[in-house]
Amino acid sequence: MSEISTYDGQSLPFEQLAKAIAERRSTYGRASGLRIDRAERGEAWSSLPYQSVFAGDTESGVIHGGVVTAMLDESCGMAVQLALDGSRAIATLDLRIDYQKPAKPGLDIKAHSICYHVTRSIAFVRATAYQETEQDPVATAAACFMIGANRTNMLQNREAYGVPALDAPEDEAGPFAKSPFARCLGMHLTEDGVLHMPFSPKIIGNPVLPAIHGGITGAFLETTAIVGVARELGIATPPKPIGLTINYLRSGRALDSFANVSIVKQGLRIVAFQAQAWQDDPAKPIATAFGHFKLRRVADKD
């Protein structure tokens, strides 16, 4: 590949750029095992090896939707970086996920992301997550990224950062007893029904700031919505995610995060919800989410 032209006249050899992206990704991305398999200008193919900790439900073994969300967020970021020169930081502005079908347990998840348009300050991306073929997707995504979001640069030479292990402590009495991924992120309900996610090294996206991984914030909001909607409706079977749009308003700092959800509209089969996450001030959310769930009256494999 040739060098990539940029607005300010600087450039980085494409092979060097792809190598830096493969080696210097987010802390959570490295801990999860996410890898970039192929790179072209503005285009990335990645894969995520299956781990038992990714399960959202131990009975079905189905992978937690938040795992797919986090993978698509980072895979989209890879495509954006491959469309740039490697000198500027990027940050997710919004991420839209449409769930086509549940990810099967035991199989790797793959993603193909394309950065199809770049302006001076915004990059636009679309992506597909799949397991067997790209024509049979698990989920699709569309996202916008800010270019030059801060003064850090994860692709430049920097000190080595440790890779934390992803584990799921047992909690037989808690609401996430059957959800290893939620337990991996340390999620638990407070007495007033707010969901709490403590800060830990495993959820870091940018280790230079440090900041929480945008995909993990999305996973946190999705889990909050599932738990909150099920509890408010008094249903034992968790609702099935259909679509989720996440808007990132502030950087998630190295602090504990909290989230709640409200039902916008309830039908016989579909529920519309809105959720928000914050850290030290509920009036200053770090992200909001809007989406739809399908109600399931009986347990199924989805």
Side-chain angles (χ1 to χ4, degrees), residues 22 25 29 32-38 45-49 71 75 78 108-111:
R25 290 174 291 103
S32 70
L34 179 64
R35 58 178 179 252
I36 183 167
D37 299 322
R38 178 183 166 193
W45 289 260
S46 57
S47 59
L48 181 69
M71 181 193 186
S75 298
M78 290 178 182
D108 295 356
I109 304 176
K110 302 174 184 179

Side-chain angles (χ1 to χ4, degrees), residues 112-179:
H112 180 197
S113 303
I114 303 171
C115 181
Y116 60 90
H117 184 63
V118 178
T119 69
R120 287 186 178 272
S121 56
I122 306 295
F124 301 85
V125 200
R126 57 177 177 264
T128 301
Y130 58 98
Q131 290 184 297
E132 296 173 323
T133 68
E134 192 172 342
Q135 289 68 43
D136 186 21
V138 168
T140 55
C144 293
F145 283 75
M146 178 184 290
I147 301 171
N150 53 65
R151 295 181 180 180
T152 68
N153 191 337
M154 290 171 57
L155 300 185
Q156 292 180 341
N157 292 331
R158 56 181 173 83
E159 61 182 285
Y161 291 89
V163 180
L166 296 185
D167 57 354
E170 294 296 330
D171 183 13
E172 296 181 359
F176 302 112
K178 297 181 180 180
S179 180

Side-chain angles (χ1 to χ4, degrees), residues 222-256:
E222 179 182 331
T223 304
T224 299
I226 291 174
V227 172
V229 168
R231 188 173 62 171
E232 187 167 339
L233 296 182
I235 54 178
T237 304
K240 177 184 178 182
I242 299 173
L244 180 71
T245 300
I246 307 157
N247 292 302
Y248 297 91
L249 308 176
R250 294 175 177 82
S251 177
R253 295 172 291 161
L255 299 170
D256 289 7

Side-chain angles (χ1 to χ4, degrees), residues 57 60 88 135 187 201 211:
D57 178 20
S60 66
R88 291 168 288 179
Q135 289 68 43
M187 297 183 192

